[in-house]
Amino acid sequence: MRRLLLLPVAILVLAQPIQARQGEAPYSIGATAKRGIQVPQVFLPAIDSAAARAAYDARMRDATHARTKRMAIAEGNPVELGPDTDGIWQTLEDGSSLWRLRVQVPGATDLHLSFDRYALPEGAALWVIGADDYYEGPYTAEDASPLSIPMVPGEAATIELRLAAGSQIGPGELTLTDVGAGFRNMFEVEPRLGIPGNSGPCNINVACPLGEPYTAEQRAIAYYEFRADDDGLTYVCTATLMSDVPADRKNYVLTAAHCLSTQTEAASMRMYWNYRSTTCAGNSGISFTQNQTGTTLRATRADADFTLVELNQAPDPSWNLFHAGWDATNIAPSGSIGIHHPSQDSLKINNSPVAPRTMNNCISTGGGSFNTHWRTGPYDQGTTEGGSSGSGLWIPSSSPGGSGRRLIGVLSGGTAACMGTVPDNGWDCYGKFSAGWDGPSASSRLRDWLDPAGTGALSIAGIDHNTPTPVDQEAEGSLAVRIAAGLQARPLRLQGRGIGTHPRPYGTQSQQH
C-alpha cells in the first residue's frame, strides 16, 4: 500500500448515460486523476464468457421436465481486499484522503462487487467505476452492511474511497469479499429478429396492448441480482413490491424461495425498478438508473416457494413505484397474466387464456407439497424464461367483481418457452399466494407481515408508493364533502326546500387567483 500527496486537484464531472446515484462524480474519472498515477491492480482468474454462457444455458434447454427459472449471470471470485492492506492512498489539496484499487477479471463482460464488511465513517464516500467511466455511488455511512454494488460494465473496475480531512477507517472496516465475473453482458444486448433484447422473440413488451391495463402493476416489478449461498454464483430473478392491509406502504418485496431464502442472500440483492421499454417494438428508453441494494429477510418457505423481504432503504419517491394488490382466497380466475423479466430483458408480459389449475410443487422443493401451486399455460401471448422466477401471477383486469390486477402466485418454474416468434405448448407452475398465507410461524407465512393486525382480509387492491400531499388530501376531502352535500341537497331542491342557489363549483376560487 502506498500514499501520495497530490496537488492541485480539479474534478471533472462527465455526463453518464446510465448511472444509479446522481450525486458527486468520483475523483477517478476527472482528467487530473488520470495523469501519471498508477493505481495498483489485482488480477483474478480469467473467464471464457461464451463458454460459461453456453454451459449454463444448456441446463435450461430441457423442455421435457419442469425447471427453475432463475438465471446465472456471473461466477464468483472470493477475495479479501481492503484499504489497510491493498491499493494506494493519496492526500488531496483539501486535506481529504483518497484510496483506490483496481480489480480485473480478463474476459468478464461486467463485474459485481460485494463488501461483506462495510462500516464507513461519517463523511466518507465509496464509488465503483467500470468501463467508459460508468460508475455506481457514492455509498456512505448510511448504507447498510453487507453492501453489494450494482453491476458495472467491463472486465475491470476501480474502487474509490474518499475520507474527509482528519477522518480514518479502521482495519477490516471496508473489505471487498467477492468479485462476480459476468458472462452475459447486460450492457450490450443482442438484437434478435428485429426485437432488441436478451429474451426470446415471442416475448411481449409491457408497452404493447396486452400490458395497457397493467400500467400501475408494472411499477411494482423489479429485476434483481443476488449471490447464492450454495454455489457462489450471481443469479437474476424477478420480484414484486407488495401492499399490506394497513396500506402503510411498508417496503415488502415478494419473490421465490428457490431464488433466495437466507439473510445472506437477501442482503446481496440489487434491485432495478422500472426497467422497461417505453415502446411496444424494441427497447426504447430502458435504464438501470433506478436501483437500490440490500434487503432483510422476513419470511420464506420452500414448499409454497415464496420469500418475503423488506427493503433496507425506502425507494426514491421520484421512481413513482406501486405496491401490488393480492388475493389469498385460492379461487382460480378464468385466465391469468404474468409480468416478469425473462433472460435479464426489460419487462415483459404473458397471457394464459385458461384458468390456472391446482397442482403440487413442480420443482420439488421443500419435500412433500400438496396443492401448493397454480399450473398455467400454454400461453397464447408471451412466455417465461430464466430470470422470470419469482415473478407474479395476476388475476386479469377483466375479471368480474373488481378483483382484477391482484397477485395470486409466484413463479417457480416449468417448461414454457418460445417456439420461434410464438409461445410453445409448455406450461409453468406458480407457488400459490394462498398457500404461503398461513404457516407454522411468522417466518414461514405471509399474513403476519401483510395483515399485521389480523383483520382476516384475504384480498386487497394495490396503492401508489407516494402518499398524497396535504394539499391533495385537502382537495380530495373538500370534493368528497361537496359531492355528499350535493346528493343531500338535490331531493330538497326538488321539494322546493333548502338553499335556492347552487353552491360555487369546486375549484373556482383557486382559479380566480
Side-chain angles (χ1 to χ4, degrees):
M1 182 178 64
R2 296 177 290 163
R3 180 176 287 274
L4 298 179
L5 177 65
L6 189 62
L7 300 170
V9 174
I11 297 178
L12 175 64
V13 180
L14 301 183
Q16 300 294 311
I18 318 172
Q19 71 186 52
R21 301 198 174 192
Q22 304 295 329
E24 178 188 1
Y27 171 83
S28 296
I29 69 173
T32 302
K34 298 177 180 178
R35 296 176 188 162
I37 303 298
Q38 294 296 322
V39 176
Q41 187 156 308
V42 174
F43 285 91
L44 299 174
I47 182 175
D48 184 335
S49 294
R53 187 165 56 248
Y56 290 110
D57 285 350
R59 302 179 187 178
M60 299 292 295
R61 292 197 187 103
D62 181 7
T64 60
H65 298 89
R67 59 195 181 277
T68 65
K69 293 194 172 182
R70 70 177 189 174
M71 185 179 194
I73 63 168
E75 295 184 349
N77 288 279
V79 295
E80 289 280 333
L81 301 170
D84 49 327
T85 56
D86 308 282
I88 185 172
W89 282 96
Q90 299 167 224
T91 301
L92 304 183
E93 185 180 34
D94 62 359
S96 63
S97 299
L98 186 77
W99 173 80
R100 288 185 289 174
L101 176 67
R102 187 174 173 85
V103 293
Q104 184 166 358
V105 183
T109 59
D110 40 74
L111 296 180
H112 309 247
L113 275 58
S114 296
F115 299 84
D116 283 357
R117 293 186 290 282
Y118 177 87
L120 297 189
E122 289 297 325
L126 177 76
W127 292 264
V128 173
I129 307 108
D132 301 320
D133 287 342
Y134 179 105
Y135 66 87
E136 291 286 346
Y139 296 90
T140 68
E142 296 180 358
D143 291 285
S145 179
L147 178 70
S148 293
I149 304 294
M151 59 188 171
V152 296
E155 64 179 29
T158 298
I159 307 164
E160 177 179 309
L161 171 67
R162 188 165 183 172
L163 302 180
S167 179
Q168 294 182 338
I169 187 167
E173 290 184 341
L174 178 66
T175 306
L176 177 68
T177 50
D178 191 81
V179 179
F183 51 79
R184 294 193 183 274
N185 203 346
M186 268 297 291
F187 295 88
E188 292 183 11
V189 293
E190 175 189 358
R192 299 186 181 186
L193 298 180
I195 304 176
N198 287 323
S199 63
C202 76
N203 283 284
I204 298 172
N205 279 344
V206 291
C208 295
L210 180 60
E212 289 178 358
Y214 309 96
T215 55
E217 288 67 33
Q218 295 168 25
R219 296 185 282 118
I221 314 301
Y223 152 91
Y224 73 91
E225 307 158 355
F226 70 98
R227 190 170 84 244
D229 288 347
D230 54 357
D231 56 17
L233 295 176
T234 296
Y235 288 88
V236 295
C237 286
T238 303
T240 306
L241 183 65
M242 304 298 291
S243 186
D244 60 6
V245 174
D248 55 8
R249 295 169 174 83
K250 280 286 189 72
N251 294 307
Y252 293 129
V253 173
L254 184 67
T255 188
H258 78 267
C259 288
L260 59 87
S261 58
T262 70
Q263 176 53 43
T264 303
E265 293 172 331
S268 74
M269 290 179 75
R270 286 87 80 194
M271 321 279 293
Y272 299 82
W273 303 101
N274 289 322
Y275 174 45
R276 63 183 191 268
S277 175
T278 57
T279 60
C280 180
N283 273 339
S284 301
I286 63 170
S287 170
F288 306 136
T289 61
Q290 298 179 10
N291 69 50
Q292 60 187 124
T293 182
T295 68
T296 299
L297 183 70
R298 293 306 183 200
T300 186
R301 201 164 83 238
D303 61 343
D305 195 26
F306 83 87
T307 289
L308 186 74
V309 299
E310 186 172 359
L311 302 176
N312 286 344
Q313 295 178 328
D316 189 322
S318 68
W319 300 348
N320 192 29
L321 300 187
F322 183 78
H323 293 254
W326 43 262
D327 188 291
T329 62
N330 196 31
I331 299 172
S334 59
S336 62
I337 291 288
I339 309 175
H340 56 106
H341 285 286
S343 301
Q344 295 182 285
D345 211 344
S346 59
L347 196 61
K348 310 296 180 186
I349 188 167
N350 63 46
N351 180 74
S352 177
V354 297
R357 288 84 70 200
T358 293
M359 67 178 299
N360 296 339
N361 186 328
C362 71
I363 60 172
S364 302
T365 56
S369 162
F370 183 69
N371 292 344
T372 57
H373 279 61
W374 295 115
R375 175 172 171 146
T376 64
Y379 304 109
D380 63 352
Q381 298 182 71
T383 189
T384 61
E385 297 179 359
S388 301
S389 273
S391 61
L393 184 71
W394 303 81
I395 300 174
S397 61
S398 58
S399 290
S403 63
R405 299 190 296 273
R406 299 183 186 187
L407 185 146
I408 60 170
V410 174
L411 180 63
S412 294
T415 67
C418 285
M419 185 173 60
T421 58
V422 297
D424 67 4
N425 291 321
W427 52 273
D428 285 321
C429 77
Y430 288 76
K432 289 183 176 182
F433 189 86
S434 58
W437 188 247
D438 284 308
S441 65
S443 63
S444 63
R445 64 191 179 217
L446 293 166
R447 62 177 171 86
D448 298 74
W449 309 99
L450 302 184
D451 185 17
T455 67
L458 292 178
S459 186
I460 64 170
I463 58 172
D464 283 316
H465 178 72
N466 295 333
T467 58
T469 65
V471 173
D472 292 335
Q473 293 172 336
E474 181 181 353
E476 290 173 1
S478 298
L479 181 59
V481 170
R482 289 182 179 273
I483 291 174
L487 292 174
Q488 294 172 356
R490 185 173 184 273
L492 295 176
R493 287 196 297 270
L494 291 176
Q495 299 171 28
R497 302 163 57 197
I499 301 174
T501 58
H502 294 286
R504 180 169 50 198
Y506 173 73
T508 55
Q509 183 175 5
S510 61
Q511 292 170 2
Q512 292 172 354
H513 293 153

